Amino acid sequence: MRAARLIKMVLLLQSRPTMTAAELARELEVSERTVTRDAQALSEAGVPVYADRGRAGGYRLIGGYRTRLTGLARTEAEALFLSGVPGALREMGLDDAASAARLKVSAALLPSLRDASRTAAQRFHLDAPGWFHEPEPPELLPSVAEAVWDDLVLRVSYGRRDTVVERELEPYGLVLKAGVWYLAARVRDGSFGFRVYRIDRFLSVAVPADARRFARDAGFELPVFWAERADEFARAILGTEVVVRLTAAGVRQLPYVTGRVSAREALATAVQEADGRVSVTLPVESEDVAFTQLMGLGPEVEVVAPGALRERFAAAVRRMSGWYG
C-alpha cells in the first residue's frame, strides 16, 4: 500500500512544478505528517524530492528527474485522454486503473503538453444513455469485465423467459449500447457460435476453480461482430408489414420514428405517387407498434394497409378533430 502511494507521489510531483503538503495530502488521502515522512523516505531512496520552506513553499523534484514521452504531438496527447470513457470504466471497476494510467501519462509528457488532459475534457464528453433513461450498471459487470480482460472462461446463469439457463462462456468483449451492457461470448461446448447476452440478465457469474484461459479466435473483431448482430436483431423483430404513403417531410422523419433498418428497407423500394407522395411497404414489429410509431409522423403519413390499422388511424383522427374542431 505504501509503495503504491510513494509511486503516486513521485508521479504527482513529475506532473506539476510544485505541490504543497496539503495538496499532496489531499491527492494521496493521507495526513500532511504522512506526506512529510513519505518525502523523507523517497529522498533516502535516491529520489531527489526537495522541500521549499515557508508560506509559498512545497515539494518538488530537482535535477531533471522525470521520464518524458517525446514523440507525441499535441493532438496525439489529447487523443490519449479521449480514449477512456469515465462512466463506463467506473462501471467495469476500472476507474482506479484508468486514473493511475492518466496520471502516469501526464507525468511522462513534455511540460508543453501537460494540459492535454484538461483541454480534452473541456472539449469532449460522452453521455451514453438515451434521454430520460438512467440505467443502473449491472452488479455483476466488474466480474464479467475482469474475465474479458484476462480471457477466462465464465460459468454463468441467466434468466430466459420463465427458465434459468446455465452456460460456460468464452467472454470475448463488452458493448455499451444506449446505457445497456452486453457481452459478446462463445458457448464453451461448441453448441452455438458467438452470441450476445444482456449482462443485467445474468443471475450469477463465476470463474471455474481451475481458472482456465481460452484461446481467442484471431479472426474475431468485436466492432464488426456487433454491427452485424445489431442489424440482425433489428431485422428479426420486424414480423409484419404495413403500406403507407409519405410526404417529403415524412420520408425525412421516418428513420427517427421506426428505426434505421426498417426505414432503409422501406425507402429502398419506394414508389412515387402522382400527388408527390411516395408509397412504401414498411416492415414493423407489430400493428400495435406501428400505430404508436407512425402516429409520431402526424399528417406526414397515410396508412393504406392493413385495413384494421388504417381504421385505427381514422378513429384517432376523428377524436383529435373533435378536440381541435
Side-chain angles (χ1 to χ4, degrees):
M1 186 71 177
R2 190 190 184 200
R5 188 175 71 242
L6 292 175
I7 292 172
K8 187 174 182 179
M9 184 174 180
V10 173
L11 293 172
L12 284 167
L13 292 174
Q14 276 193 203
S15 65
R16 307 177 196 178
T18 303
M19 293 188 69
T20 66
E23 289 172 335
L24 283 167
R26 185 168 56 253
E27 291 281 354
L28 298 172
E29 299 180 348
V30 296
S31 67
E32 293 186 30
R33 181 173 295 182
T34 299
V35 168
T36 301
R37 289 198 298 265
D38 285 351
Q40 181 64 32
L42 287 171
S43 181
E44 292 173 356
V47 179
V49 178
Y50 182 79
D52 291 314
R53 305 300 177 184
R55 180 178 298 178
Y59 292 92
R60 60 186 174 89
L61 293 173
I62 60 175
Y65 189 91
R66 70 176 31 87
T67 301
R68 294 178 175 176
L69 294 176
T70 57
L72 290 178
R74 168 164 290 279
T75 54
E76 294 170 330
E78 291 172 344
L80 280 175
F81 291 98
L82 288 180
S83 61
V85 183
L89 291 170
R90 182 172 56 253
E91 292 177 9
M92 287 189 290
L94 298 174
D95 194 33
D96 289 341
S99 176
R102 288 192 294 269
L103 179 59
K104 290 177 181 179
V105 172
S106 294
L109 289 172
L110 289 167
S112 61
L113 300 179
R114 294 274 167 77
D115 65 341
S117 61
R118 180 176 56 82
T119 57
Q122 288 175 339
R123 290 164 173 79
F124 180 82
H125 173 69
L126 177 64
D127 185 7
W131 288 105
F132 317 115
H133 181 55
E134 293 294 335
E136 288 291 328
E139 181 180 348
L140 298 175
L141 176 60
S143 298
V144 176
E146 184 176 353
V148 169
W149 287 117
D150 293 337
D151 294 338
L152 293 174
V153 173
L154 269 182
R155 182 175 293 123
V156 307
S157 63
Y158 64 96
R160 187 174 68 183
R161 299 183 181 89
D162 297 327
T163 62
V164 175
V165 179
E166 295 189 355
R167 293 276 188 268
E168 278 201 356
L169 303 178
E170 297 176 352
Y172 268 69
L174 294 167
V175 176
L176 176 60
K177 170 71 171 178
V180 180
W181 284 96
Y182 298 89
L183 173 68
R186 184 163 57 184
V187 179
R188 185 70 172 170
D189 63 12
S191 57
F192 304 98
F194 288 100
R195 307 187 74 179
V196 175
Y197 299 86
R198 276 187 62 146
I199 295 178
D200 58 6
R201 292 179 182 167
F202 284 167
L203 304 176
S204 67
V205 300
V207 176
D210 53 359
R212 290 170 294 168
R213 294 178 181 272
F214 63 91
R216 293 179 68 91
D217 183 343
F220 179 83
E221 296 184 26
L222 183 58
V224 174
F225 168 79
W226 178 257
E228 292 173 349
R229 286 304 171 90
D231 274 358
E232 288 176 8
F233 173 77
R235 189 62 187 87
I237 65 174
L238 304 177
T240 190
E241 294 180 338
V242 301
V243 180
V244 299
R245 294 190 182 101
L246 299 167
T247 66
V251 170
R252 291 193 299 270
Q253 297 170 24
L254 187 64
Y256 300 102
V257 298
T258 64
R260 176 175 52 85
V261 172
S262 179
R264 183 180 63 205
E265 291 193 13
L267 296 175
T269 57
V271 176
Q272 188 72 44
E273 300 282 352
D275 62 2
R277 295 182 296 171
V278 296
S279 177
V280 301
T281 300
L282 181 70
V284 294
E285 185 174 348
S286 67
E287 289 188 21
D288 287 339
V289 172
F291 178 77
T292 301
Q293 291 176 336
L294 294 175
M295 280 293 290
L297 294 179
E300 311 304 331
V301 63
E302 177 194 357
V303 175
V304 177
L309 182 60
R310 180 180 174 87
E311 179 52 38
R312 286 183 67 180
F313 270 82
V317 170
R318 287 193 294 268
R319 290 179 61 198
M320 293 176 67
S321 178
W323 295 333
Y324 292 103

